[in-house]
């Protein structure tokens, strides 16, 4: 599944947004590091302070549409009847 991306309000990096349960218009920014504060003095990565914050989704959630190629029952021809065979 490909997640939509939005610009982080703090570090301006394009960041994936995961949909939030119960809301079609909100999501959580994925954890990401700030390009300006890449590491702690001990060498560990530093997450951006806006990681996991709630943001507006770039596109409002919508119902999935499936294209199943189902034929209209009114226009579908009747199946040919098979000759019945006697089993016993």
């Amino acid at each position: 599944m490909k997640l939509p991306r939005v610009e982080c309000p703090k570090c301006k990096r394009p960041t994936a947004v995961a949909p939030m349960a119960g809301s079609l218009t909100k999501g959580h920014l994925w954890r990401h590091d700030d390009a300006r504060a890449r590491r702690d003095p001990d060498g560990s990565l530093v997450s951006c302070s806006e990681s996991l914050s709630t943001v507006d989704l770039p596109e409002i959630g919508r119902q999935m549409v499936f294209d199943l190629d189902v034929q209209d029952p009114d226009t579908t021809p009747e199946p040919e009847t098979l000759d019945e065979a006697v089993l016993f």
Side-chain angles (χ1 to χ4, degrees), residues 8-39:
C8 173
K10 181 179 181 212
C11 67
K12 307 299 184 206
R13 291 183 71 179
T15 307
V17 180
M20 197 164 80
S23 176
L24 296 175
T25 60
K26 300 285 184 186
H28 290 290
L29 282 178
W30 275 48
R31 187 171 297 256
H32 61 284
D33 58 320
D34 188 345
R36 294 178 296 250
R38 302 254 333 154
R39 296 185 182 272

Side-chain angles (χ1 to χ4, degrees), residues 4 6 17-29 53-63:
V6 296
V17 180
M20 197 164 80
S23 176
L24 296 175
T25 60
K26 300 285 184 186
H28 290 290
L29 282 178
S53 64
T54 302
V55 295
D56 290 330
L57 288 173
E59 184 176 305
I60 295 175
R62 60 178 182 244
Q63 181 69 36

Side-chain angles (χ1 to χ4, degrees), residues 39-83:
R39 296 185 182 272
D40 274 343
D42 66 349
S44 301
L45 287 174
V46 177
S47 291
C48 177
S49 61
E50 290 294 317
S51 289
L52 306 177
S53 64
T54 302
V55 295
D56 290 330
L57 288 173
E59 184 176 305
I60 295 175
R62 60 178 182 244
Q63 181 69 36
M64 292 180 69
V65 177
F66 296 100
D67 185 16
L68 299 176
D69 293 332
V70 177
Q71 296 179 347
D72 183 14
D74 295 334
T75 61
T76 305
E78 290 292 324
E80 294 181 22
T81 57
L82 299 175
D83 294 333

